[in-house]
Amino acid sequence: MTGGRLHLQALRLALVAACALPAAASAAQLDGATLSTAWGVPFAGLLLSIALLPLLAPAFWHRHFGKVTAAWALAFLLPFATRFGPGAAAAGVMHALLAEYLPFVILLTALYTVAGGIHIRADLRGTPAVNTALLAVGAALASVMGTTGASMLLIRPLLRANAHRTHRAHVVVFFIFIVSNAGGALTPLGDPPLFLGFLKGVDFFWTVTHIGPQTLWLVGMLLVVFHALDAWQLRRDPAAMTAPAPAPAPAPASAGATPRRVRIGFDGRINFVLLALAVSLVLTSGVWKSPLAWNVAGTTVGLPGLVRDVGLVGVTLLSLALTPRGVHAANQFSWAPMQEVAKLFAGIFVTIVPVIAMLQAGAAGPFGAVLAAVTRPDGLPDTAAYFWATGLLSSFLDNAPTYLVFFNTAGADPVALMTVMAPTLAAISAGAVFMGANTYIGNAPNLMVKAIAEDRGVKMPSFFGYMLWSFGILVPLFVAMTFVWFR
């Protein structure tokens, strides 16, 4: 099933449910204080499945991840509908679908499609200066086209540029640190957790003004460390220093370009225009205020969000129609990663419903201990605790639902979080985005980049071998960041 069909099917199901279950519109707000922690088991089980099954049973996971996700979703929905009635269950699912899931997946699909429609041809030679420059460019692009889009756009040119070198794994590791994670911290377009915050009411430019300095410092420090390490690795590989520069990737036959040796070139340039259109749609939906809205099964669907989502679907379809087939072939474009994300997050957004309700209950709810752990004795939020708690969970679970968990733990009031509690929201945002780089499973692009690198002959570190890199390089930087910004 393609990503476009997946969206249409989900939307169709939403409309059917809205018409068939009018009782959902009047369902009472779920009171998290009345729930037990057992209602969080399906959510925890799904996240643990995502974290562990690709490592313990990769063949099984690859074939059945959709069934595993559906099983955990039903493990929540069936008991919930029995206990609270189908109306309450439908109301929760419809809110998760219309208010969060569909906008989330539609944006990711648009950025993924646009990035997959741009092919870079280059004869770059992987020197420390060139590699550092590519990582810096990737960091800048990550906040515009998303960490997944920037990673898919630049990892193949980077690997081609370094094909003549013996020691290449460190280049890919730092690419994951910088492009697949830290670089996406400046806008809601950059990383899924920040877009979820945007959907919850956080201003589009709030992130760049409040964790911009931290992002620039972290990326800058990583680039300095990388350049020094890359120069040392190159000195260990004398043959690579005299090897000829790699030939540029040939232009796709259907792209209309004549084969010639160029320093750098792009095929599928129309996608740059479509990327600008996607950015404009998201930005406009954040600043455009309209009283026009519709109540769909108890969920308010506003005109700005609807225009954004319809426009992003249009961007996706235009990219597919206007991108030459040869460009997709050169990029090895496939819907498989997007299908996996769409299915997994459908389950995440359903099973997280009771978890969010319990967190919103505060000290009176079953997760009062979580709130106490990130609260100082004087009753104020412990910024450092929020940073590390969000970050450590984002390292081993998915950083998007982790962000939601602590966003709700902090009160879920976007106005308060952007003003009087700004340090807390900054800590949550930074922890979710930055520490997604601590393991291969912390952020979706990490495993995608690893798989592409290994397919091109790069011997990547194991799961725990990668953690030696991240804990040796990233964690000291996070400790320093804590003392400077999150005390």
Side-chain angles (χ1 to χ4, degrees), residues 197 370 419 424:
V370 175
T419 52
T424 302

Side-chain angles (χ1 to χ4, degrees), residues 75-331:
F76 158 66
L77 283 174
L78 294 180
F80 189 84
T82 302
R83 169 77 180 275
F84 298 99
V93 172
M94 289 299 297
H95 179 80
L97 178 68
L98 295 177
E100 296 169 352
Y101 173 73
L102 279 179
F104 174 81
V105 173
I106 287 172
L107 174 66
L108 286 186
T109 303
L111 295 177
Y112 179 81
T113 307
V114 168
I118 302 171
H119 178 68
I120 300 177
R121 292 177 283 110
D123 57 351
L124 299 174
R125 181 184 179 83
T127 65
V130 169
N131 288 337
T132 303
L134 283 173
L135 294 182
V137 170
L141 290 176
S143 283
V144 177
M145 61 193 313
T147 52
T148 298
S151 296
M152 295 303 98
L153 179 67
L154 290 177
I155 185 58
R156 293 183 180 91
L158 183 67
L159 291 172
R160 286 198 301 267
N162 289 275
H164 61 294
R165 296 179 58 169
T166 304
H167 306 289
R168 294 174 288 168
H170 69 285
V171 179
V172 182
V173 167
F174 274 84
F175 184 91
I176 293 174
F177 289 171
I178 296 171
V179 181
S180 301
N181 289 275
L186 298 182
T187 75
L189 295 168
D191 218 25
L194 303 182
F195 186 66
L196 292 180
F198 177 73
L199 293 177
K200 292 290 188 180
V202 178
D203 290 344
F204 186 91
F205 292 107
W206 187 93
T207 310
V208 70
T209 58
H210 285 79
I211 63 171
Q214 297 93 311
T215 303
L216 295 177
W217 178 83
L218 178 60
V219 170
M221 291 296 294
L222 288 173
L223 290 174
V224 169
V225 173
F226 170 78
H227 188 277
L229 177 61
D230 197 41
W232 177 72
Q233 291 280 25
L234 185 60
R235 289 195 296 270
R236 296 175 58 210
D237 191 6
M241 299 178 68
T242 57
S254 61
T258 57
R260 61 188 178 91
R261 187 175 180 83
V262 295
R263 185 65 176 170
I264 187 168
F266 298 93
D267 300 306
R269 294 188 183 101
I270 186 62
N271 285 283
F272 287 113
V273 178
L274 297 176
L275 175 61
L277 178 58
V279 173
S280 299
L281 286 167
V282 175
L283 182 59
T284 300
S285 71
V287 298
W288 176 23
K289 307 299 179 184
S290 171
L292 188 58
W294 296 266
N295 187 294
V296 181
T299 297
T300 301
V301 179
L303 180 61
L306 183 62
V307 170
R308 176 198 64 221
D309 294 342
V310 171
L312 289 173
V313 171
V315 166
T316 302
L317 296 177
L318 283 173
S319 177
L320 293 174
L322 299 177
T323 301
R325 292 184 179 179
V327 174
H328 283 153
N331 283 341

